[in-house]
Amino acid sequence: MKKVSLLFILLIGSLLSCNQVTKEISREWVSVSQNLEFKTDTTKKFKVVASAKVETEDKDAWAGIWARVDNTDKTTGFFDNMGNRPIKSSIWNSYVIEGSLDSKSERLNFGMISFNNGKFYFDKFELYIEDDNGVYQQIEIDNASFESEVIDNKIPDWNNGVSKGETYKVKEFSFTTNEDSTDGNYSLLIEGNGIKKSVAAAENAFPNAGMWIFLVFLLVLVFSFLTNISLSSEEKWSVLRRIGFRFSFIYFILIILFQNNGAFPFWDKIFAYPTEWFKQLITWLGSNFYGLAGEVSSKITGSGDTLFDFLVIFTACIIALIGCVVWSIIDRKQRDYDKMYYWLTVGIRYYVGLMLISYGMVKVIQLQFSSPGFYRMMSTYGESSPMGLAWTFLGFSKGYNMFMGIAEILAGLLLFRRTMTFGAIITLMTAMNVMAVNYFYDVPVKILSTHLVLMTLFLLFKDIKRLLAFFFTKVSTSIDILTRPIKNKGINIALTSIKGLLLGYVFIYGFITTLDSEKMYGSKAPKPDLYGVYEVTNFVINGDTITSYKDQRLWKNIVVQREGSLQIKKFNNSKAYFGITQDSLNNKLTMSSWSNDNNNFELNYTKVDSTGLDFNFINKGDTIYGSSIKLKEEDFLLTNRGFHWISEYPYNR
């Protein structure tokens, strides 16, 4: 046992030795920022304005200006980096980000961001914040137009990173002063070079990916089952049981540590440096061991099934197999692993329980599956992806969201030893349903959901014989409760206190932050002034009324769903997306195309009571006039059908 302890001490020591400040890093994006300490008792709007342009032959290159509000409770308030309306135009244009500060706000961060290879120009930053009378007042920004020249890759008065105090350098990017400017003599030029393209998808790298993934999960399932054969602390563990435990222990610990997915509070900060080291290891293995062409990207994309994530589980499986062999050789005389088994179950219980509690909360508040918006309402079933169809189905019903959320929150029963088996039965049903949706609707959270099922099965295998006897025989049986292997009363009290604090944090603080997120991103978020769907009833170009639905210029609908963006749908079913800046005093919208076609123009509009919108604009030499009627959410069958106890006929449309 001492040899095993020494082995794991050396392993943890090697991970923590990576706890050094990295002076130079490698990635495909770079950011520059300034920050302003700001406190207010009321909600105040702000806007960041800057000029930018991009020169590149890299189709994946783009730039943006960004703003983020840091709150006093360490959460993030407003955030926007133009990721949904990237700057790709090679012509200087002015761009705006609008947000709000409130009583919780502590700091406003803003700046610029550049992705991939190319030349990214920025100039003339301006910051405006409302005063107590609701009038925008300009706030002075140091070196706003970059008239203080860049020296040795350092931009005077600007931070290299997304927060104050970040000192790293991204080696693929350089900063220089440039004479191509819109204000003053100079602008800032950020140049990205030598950025390797990430491997696009696991299918391209592994033609038989499904088979290998299935084998990994099957191995984990088999070793988990072997670990729990006739499990009892009173008898000597069999050879198979010890082998199963050694593999399971190493594999599950690696997944919990390096695929934590925010299960444990503050884990990204506590385990930041070992995680960064592990990312570098996986990237190196991808190029040098797995033989992949290109660099494996570890960036967060919203998908949990990236090539990087699959390489993590493959690597964890290989390490577990090798570790199991080495451990079996050096510790072959060990009779049992009762204490280590207990602590492994603690790690798994808290990982699965806290993960599902967090997912449950965002379902109860209906943040994960929001009600179908106008974009979805105006799309056909055939235009939906399988995931989009699932999100629409699950998001339609608030009641079903609450049902799913409560079922997932019941995973909290895993956190208590006395209720572990009952909680695991409920959790298994819940996790298997989530896993099925992810697999059969192509939702990219297959790895996480499968591991939740595997971990729950690991917990249940301990009682598999008793459960089978209870459900399928007349034999009387009872469930053993895990006993904490610590006899010291003081330590037990301390551990119980820590559990109480953790539960309080997860449930109370988690619930409060989820409610705040609902007000910012969910159903209670502020709606844009022009919120709605406008059905175009008249469209005139240069005096000619366009009536042919085959005319590709004819607009069908104008959709305003989110602040700062607008969708135009034409009769040929093509869609154009624009970033918009609204001048409500002059009834004017500045339209900036999200595609790289420089299709930017100013649209004048007139509200016709609450029934519609008249508009006119000049675009590419054409004078265009139109009128529309406004549709509301209740004008759609999906939202106006309602609930019926009695139905004489099925209303299946």
Side-chain angles (χ1 to χ4, degrees):
M1 193 68 182
K2 291 182 179 178
K3 293 179 181 178
V4 177
S5 301
L6 179 61
L7 178 66
F8 283 99
I9 290 172
L10 290 174
L11 176 62
I12 297 300
S14 65
L15 292 173
L16 295 179
S17 65
C18 302
N19 192 355
Q20 300 175 356
V21 177
T22 304
K23 297 297 182 182
E24 187 175 70
I25 63 174
S26 177
R27 67 184 181 198
E28 58 196 14
W29 63 274
V30 71
S31 181
V32 179
S33 65
Q34 283 197 32
N35 58 76
L36 172 71
E37 304 288 336
F38 191 89
K39 297 184 183 299
T40 177
D41 295 328
T42 59
T43 299
K44 293 184 178 180
K45 295 181 180 179
F46 72 85
K47 57 183 177 180
V48 178
V49 185
S51 297
K53 71 173 186 175
V54 176
E55 294 178 356
T56 182
E57 295 181 356
D58 186 344
K59 65 178 182 179
D60 296 321
W62 62 277
I65 60 174
W66 62 271
R68 185 188 75 243
V69 176
D70 295 337
N71 293 330
T72 54
D73 58 3
K74 307 304 179 185
T75 60
T76 298
F78 172 86
F79 176 74
D80 184 5
N81 67 354
M82 298 186 66
N84 58 359
R85 54 191 192 285
I87 300 172
K88 293 190 173 184
S89 173
S90 59
I91 300 174
W92 281 108
N93 283 302
S94 181
Y95 300 92
V96 181
I97 284 182
E98 295 185 276
S100 60
L101 300 148
D102 56 33
S103 58
K104 296 188 300 182
S105 303
E106 180 179 41
R107 185 182 300 105
L108 172 62
N109 307 275
F110 60 90
M112 66 219 79
I113 191 168
S114 304
F115 276 84
N116 294 313
N117 301 292
K119 294 182 177 180
F120 310 92
Y121 297 82
F122 297 93
D123 202 5
K124 196 180 182 182
F125 266 80
E126 298 172 288
L127 173 63
Y128 299 88
I129 301 178
E130 281 185 332
D131 60 19
D132 293 335
N133 297 318
V135 178
Y136 278 110
Q137 299 294 335
Q138 186 169 3
I139 308 298
E140 183 178 351
I141 300 175
D142 295 329
N143 197 18
S145 295
F146 307 102
E147 297 302 295
S148 298
E149 298 185 40
V150 177
I151 301 175
D152 294 332
N153 229 42
K154 295 181 179 178
I155 310 168
D157 300 311
W158 291 83
N159 304 311
N160 185 7
V162 296
S163 299
K164 186 176 181 180
E166 292 183 339
T167 58
Y168 59 78
K169 177 185 181 301
V170 182
K171 67 180 183 180
E172 288 84 359
F173 291 89
S174 63
F175 306 137
T176 56
T177 296
N178 194 273
E179 294 183 355
D180 184 355
S181 65
T182 60
D183 184 58
N185 299 317
Y186 304 116
S187 67
L188 172 66
L189 170 60
I190 300 177
E191 193 163 1
N193 283 302
I195 298 172
K196 297 179 181 179
K197 293 300 176 184
S198 301
V199 181
E203 306 91 80
N204 299 329
F206 296 108
N208 299 313
M211 178 188 70
W212 290 105
I213 294 163
F214 173 76
L215 286 175
V216 170
F217 290 148
L218 182 61
L219 273 175
V220 176
L221 183 63
V222 169
F223 281 114
S224 297
F225 182 73
L226 291 177
T227 301
N228 293 277
I229 295 177
S230 303
L231 187 60
S232 171
S233 60
E234 299 177 358
E235 63 183 37
K236 177 183 175 181
W237 284 33
S238 67
V239 173
L240 286 178
R241 198 152 19 113
R242 281 178 279 165
I243 291 173
F245 173 77
R246 290 161 185 157
F247 175 90
S248 300
F249 184 89
I250 297 172
Y251 182 83
F252 285 134
I253 288 297
L254 287 174
I255 295 300
I256 290 171
L257 293 180
F258 297 111
Q259 289 284 93
N260 193 260
N261 295 293
F264 300 154
F266 312 114
W267 190 253
D268 57 333
K269 294 180 175 61
I270 296 171
F271 216 64
Y273 291 107
T275 300
E276 184 60 34
W277 172 83
F278 195 69
K279 286 181 179 179
Q280 294 174 12
L281 172 64
I282 297 298
T283 301
W284 182 86
L285 288 173
S287 301
N288 298 278
F289 183 75
Y290 297 116
L292 302 178
E295 183 177 346
V296 179
S297 174
S298 61
K299 71 176 183 179
I300 298 174
T301 64
S303 168
D305 293 340
T306 64
L307 177 57
F308 176 84
D309 293 310
F310 280 108
L311 292 184
V312 168
I313 67 169
F314 285 130
T315 304
C317 185
I318 292 171
I319 293 174
L321 286 170
I322 296 172
C324 179
V325 172
V326 174
W327 189 352
S328 297
I329 293 172
I330 67 174
D331 199 36
R332 58 184 178 274
K333 294 182 180 180
Q334 182 65 33
R335 292 176 57 85
D336 64 68
Y337 295 106
D338 290 330
K339 291 183 179 179
M340 293 184 69
Y341 174 83
Y342 171 81
W343 290 114
L344 176 60
T345 63
V346 170
I348 291 175
R349 284 159 46 205
Y350 277 76
Y351 180 82
V352 176
L354 296 178
M355 183 71 69
L356 286 176
I357 289 171
S358 64
Y359 272 107
M361 284 187 178
V362 295
K363 289 183 176 68
V364 170
I365 306 299
Q366 203 176 0
L367 279 176
Q368 183 181 9
F369 305 116
S370 57
S371 298
F374 289 129
Y375 289 166
R376 181 61 64 188
M377 295 287 199
M378 300 302 294
S379 300
T380 64
Y381 284 112
E383 293 176 292
S384 299
S385 66
M387 179 178 173
L389 182 61
W391 248 244
T392 304
F393 163 71
L394 296 171
F396 164 74
S397 172
K398 187 172 183 178
Y400 189 57
N401 267 264
M402 292 188 67
F403 173 79
M404 292 187 295
I406 292 171
E408 291 183 357
I409 288 174
L410 287 176
L413 294 171
L414 293 176
L415 307 183
F416 303 94
R417 289 179 287 117
R418 293 183 179 276
T419 59
M420 187 193 80
T421 301
F422 179 62
I425 293 172
I426 297 175
T427 299
L428 180 62
M429 299 300 103
T430 304
M432 288 185 71
N433 179 65
V434 173
M435 185 179 74
V437 171
N438 291 343
Y439 274 87
F440 301 131
Y441 285 87
D442 195 31
V443 180
V445 200
K446 303 175 187 70
I447 290 176
L448 173 59
S449 58
T450 304
H451 278 114
L452 294 178
V453 171
L454 290 172
M455 289 178 173
T456 307
L457 284 171
F458 180 86
L459 297 175
L460 276 176
F461 281 154
K462 176 182 76 71
D463 299 309
I464 188 65
K465 289 185 177 180
R466 295 182 176 90
L467 290 172
L468 290 175
F470 175 80
F471 285 111
F472 301 109
T473 73
K474 296 181 179 180
V475 177
S476 299
T477 186
S478 61
I479 300 298
D480 283 344
I481 297 173
L482 288 173
T483 303
R484 184 184 291 166
I486 295 178
K487 305 303 180 183
N488 187 289
K489 184 177 180 180
I491 295 178
N492 280 319
I493 292 174
L495 291 174
T496 302
S497 300
I498 292 172
K499 179 195 289 188
L501 291 173
L502 178 62
L503 290 174
Y505 176 86
V506 169
F507 281 103
I508 300 174
Y509 179 75
F511 189 70
I512 292 173
T513 54
T514 305
L515 286 176
D516 288 341
S517 297
E518 182 187 26
K519 296 175 183 177
M520 192 167 298
Y521 311 111
S523 59
K524 295 183 180 179
K527 299 290 191 297
D529 179 46
L530 298 177
Y531 181 78
V533 174
Y534 299 87
E535 185 176 309
V536 177
T537 57
N538 189 31
F539 200 72
V540 180
I541 301 179
N542 299 325
D544 295 329
T545 301
I546 307 300
T547 57
S548 173
Y549 67 90
K550 295 182 179 180
D551 194 317
Q552 296 186 3
R553 299 172 298 172
L554 181 58
W555 290 8
K556 184 177 183 180
N557 299 108
I558 302 171
V559 185
V560 181
Q561 179 176 316
R562 304 185 184 98
E563 190 73 47
S565 65
L566 177 148
Q567 179 199 85
I568 293 173
K569 186 173 183 179
K570 300 182 180 180
F571 266 92
N572 63 359
N573 283 330
S574 65
K575 299 173 184 176
Y577 294 87
F578 293 83
I580 60 172
T581 302
Q582 182 178 3
D583 181 352
S584 54
L585 294 178
N586 297 307
N587 289 345
K588 181 183 296 185
L589 297 178
T590 301
M591 310 272 287
S592 302
S593 175
W594 288 4
S595 60
N596 195 17
D597 56 7
N598 297 322
N599 186 23
N600 304 326
F601 56 91
E602 289 189 343
L603 182 146
N604 303 295
Y605 66 88
T606 303
K607 294 181 181 179
V608 183
D609 299 324
S610 60
T611 60
L613 201 69
D614 292 342
F615 56 90
N616 65 84
F617 59 96
I618 298 175
N619 185 26
K620 297 181 179 180
D622 293 327
T623 300
I624 300 172
Y625 166 81
S627 55
S628 63
I629 58 174
K630 185 176 182 179
L631 303 179
K632 301 177 182 179
E633 292 180 358
E634 54 267 27
D635 293 323
F636 295 89
L637 176 61
L638 185 63
T639 51
N640 69 23
R641 167 60 181 165
F643 175 82
H644 298 79
W645 282 111
I646 299 175
S647 297
E648 298 296 337
Y649 300 97
Y651 197 76
N652 188 357
R653 300 289 186 269

